[in-house]
Amino acid sequence: MYKFCFHNPYGAPETVSFYIHVGHIPNEHNLAKDEHLDPINVKIAELKEALESVTAEQKYLKAREARHRHTNESTRRRVMFYTIAEYLAFMGASALQVVYIRRLFSKNVAYNRV
């Protein structure tokens, strides 16, 4: 039995992902000698190990792609928000400039300034 403990001091939701492969590591005394093993069984074991490795890599890449997609979507939303806010600020500044220049050149203000 294995226990894992994670602590998040900030309180913000965090995602932790990892992959653990637990297997039996035989010592040299328990290993069968080459003359005792059937070559087909050896190939089957090698293929099984390779297949498990490929499956684990696929799971990792899917999770990685999902994280990257989430990051890209989040960044896209923020860029769109800041772009719209910037355009609104530019339009507001332009409108204030137009009002200010019109007031500056209006007849009422022009006579009072001289």
Side-chain angles (χ1 to χ4, degrees):
M1 179 177 291
Y2 299 95
K3 288 186 180 182
F4 297 95
C5 180
F6 297 99
H7 177 67
N8 184 4
Y10 300 111
E14 295 286 334
T15 302
V16 177
S17 63
F18 54 93
Y19 175 73
I20 298 174
H21 176 74
V22 179
H24 174 68
I25 301 174
N27 57 22
E28 290 184 22
H29 302 296
N30 293 338
L31 289 176
K33 304 295 182 222
D34 287 337
E35 61 267 12
H36 298 131
L37 294 177
D38 184 26
I40 293 176
N41 288 336
V42 171
K43 279 295 184 190
I44 290 173
E46 289 174 358
L47 288 173
K48 180 183 175 195
E49 185 67 31
L51 183 61
E52 287 175 354
S53 175
V54 169
T55 304
E57 185 71 18
Q58 282 179 333
K59 286 180 183 178
Y60 166 74
L61 290 175
K62 276 187 177 181
R64 180 179 170 191
E65 189 269 333
R67 285 192 311 270
H68 288 179
R69 186 177 345 103
H70 175 71
T71 301
N72 286 338
E73 289 295 321
S74 172
T75 302
R76 184 189 63 81
R77 281 192 300 271
R78 282 184 287 174
V79 167
M80 288 297 294
F81 171 74
Y82 290 133
T83 302
I84 291 170
E86 185 178 17
Y87 280 129
L88 291 175
F90 284 147
M91 286 191 297
S94 297
L96 288 175
Q97 287 176 351
V98 167
V99 168
Y100 179 72
I101 294 207
R102 282 188 179 172
R103 281 191 52 209
L104 186 66
F105 290 111
S106 72
K107 290 183 181 181
N108 297 340
V109 176
Y111 290 124
N112 293 336
R113 288 209 179 256
V114 178

Coordinates of all heavy atoms in Angstrom, one line a residue, residues 81-97:
F81 N -10.4 39.9 -24.0 CA -10.9 40.8 -23.0 C -10.1 42.1 -23.0 O -10.6 43.2 -23.0 CB -10.9 40.2 -21.6 CG -11.2 41.2 -20.5 CD1 -12.5 41.7 -20.3 CD2 -10.2 41.7 -19.7 CE1 -12.8 42.6 -19.4 CE2 -10.5 42.6 -18.7 CZ -11.8 43.1 -18.5
Y82 N -8.7 42.0 -22.9 CA -7.9 43.1 -22.9 C -7.9 43.9 -24.2 O -7.9 45.1 -24.3 CB -6.4 42.7 -22.6 CG -6.2 42.3 -21.2 CD1 -5.5 41.1 -20.9 CD2 -6.7 43.0 -20.1 CE1 -5.3 40.7 -19.6 CE2 -6.6 42.6 -18.8 CZ -5.9 41.4 -18.6 OH -5.7 41.0 -17.3
T83 N -8.1 43.2 -25.4 CA -8.2 43.9 -26.7 C -9.5 44.7 -26.7 O -9.5 45.9 -27.1 CB -8.2 42.9 -27.8 OG1 -7.0 42.1 -27.7 CG2 -8.3 43.5 -29.1
I84 N -10.6 44.1 -26.3 CA -11.9 44.9 -26.3 C -11.8 46.1 -25.3 O -12.2 47.2 -25.6 CB -13.0 43.9 -25.9 CG1 -13.3 42.9 -27.1 CG2 -14.3 44.7 -25.6 CD1 -14.2 41.8 -26.8
A85 N -11.2 45.9 -24.2 CA -11.0 47.0 -23.2 C -10.2 48.1 -23.8 O -10.5 49.3 -23.6 CB -10.5 46.5 -21.9
E86 N -9.1 47.7 -24.5 CA -8.2 48.7 -25.1 C -9.0 49.5 -26.2 O -8.8 50.7 -26.3 CB -7.0 48.0 -25.7 CG -6.0 48.9 -26.3 CD -4.8 48.1 -26.8 OE1 -4.9 46.9 -27.1 OE2 -3.8 48.7 -27.1
Y87 N -9.8 48.8 -27.0 CA -10.5 49.5 -28.1 C -11.5 50.5 -27.4 O -11.7 51.6 -27.9 CB -11.2 48.5 -29.0 CG -10.3 47.9 -30.0 CD1 -10.3 46.6 -30.2 CD2 -9.6 48.8 -30.9 CE1 -9.5 46.0 -31.2 CE2 -8.8 48.2 -31.9 CZ -8.7 46.9 -32.0 OH -7.9 46.4 -33.0
L88 N -12.2 50.0 -26.4 CA -13.1 50.9 -25.7 C -12.4 52.1 -25.1 O -12.9 53.3 -25.2 CB -13.9 50.1 -24.6 CG -14.9 49.1 -25.1 CD1 -15.5 48.3 -23.9 CD2 -16.0 49.7 -25.9
A89 N -11.3 51.9 -24.5 CA -10.5 53.0 -24.0 C -10.1 54.0 -25.1 O -10.1 55.2 -24.9 CB -9.3 52.5 -23.2
F90 N -9.6 53.5 -26.2 CA -9.3 54.3 -27.3 C -10.5 55.1 -27.9 O -10.3 56.3 -28.2 CB -8.6 53.5 -28.5 CG -7.2 53.1 -28.2 CD1 -6.8 51.9 -28.7 CD2 -6.4 53.9 -27.5 CE1 -5.5 51.5 -28.5 CE2 -5.0 53.5 -27.3 CZ -4.6 52.3 -27.8
M91 N -11.6 54.5 -28.0 CA -12.8 55.2 -28.5 C -13.2 56.3 -27.5 O -13.6 57.4 -27.9 CB -13.9 54.2 -28.7 CG -13.7 53.4 -30.0 SD -15.2 52.4 -30.5 CE -15.4 51.3 -29.1
G92 N -13.1 56.0 -26.2 CA -13.4 57.0 -25.2 C -12.5 58.1 -25.2 O -12.9 59.3 -25.1
A93 N -11.2 57.9 -25.3 CA -10.2 58.9 -25.4 C -10.4 59.8 -26.7 O -10.3 61.0 -26.7 CB -8.8 58.4 -25.4
S94 N -10.8 59.1 -27.8 CA -11.0 59.9 -29.1 C -12.3 60.7 -28.9 O -12.3 61.9 -29.4 CB -11.2 58.9 -30.2 OG -10.1 58.1 -30.4
A95 N -13.3 60.2 -28.3 CA -14.5 61.0 -28.1 C -14.2 62.2 -27.2 O -14.7 63.3 -27.5 CB -15.6 60.1 -27.5
L96 N -13.5 62.0 -26.2 CA -13.1 63.2 -25.3 C -12.3 64.2 -26.0 O -12.4 65.4 -25.8 CB -12.4 62.7 -24.0 CG -13.3 61.9 -23.0 CD1 -12.4 61.3 -21.9 CD2 -14.3 62.8 -22.5
Q97 N -11.4 63.7 -26.9 CA -10.6 64.7 -27.7 C -11.4 65.5 -28.6 O -11.2 66.7 -28.8 CB -9.5 63.9 -28.4 CG -8.4 63.4 -27.6 CD -7.4 62.6 -28.4 OE1 -7.6 62.3 -29.5 NE2 -6.2 62.3 -27.7

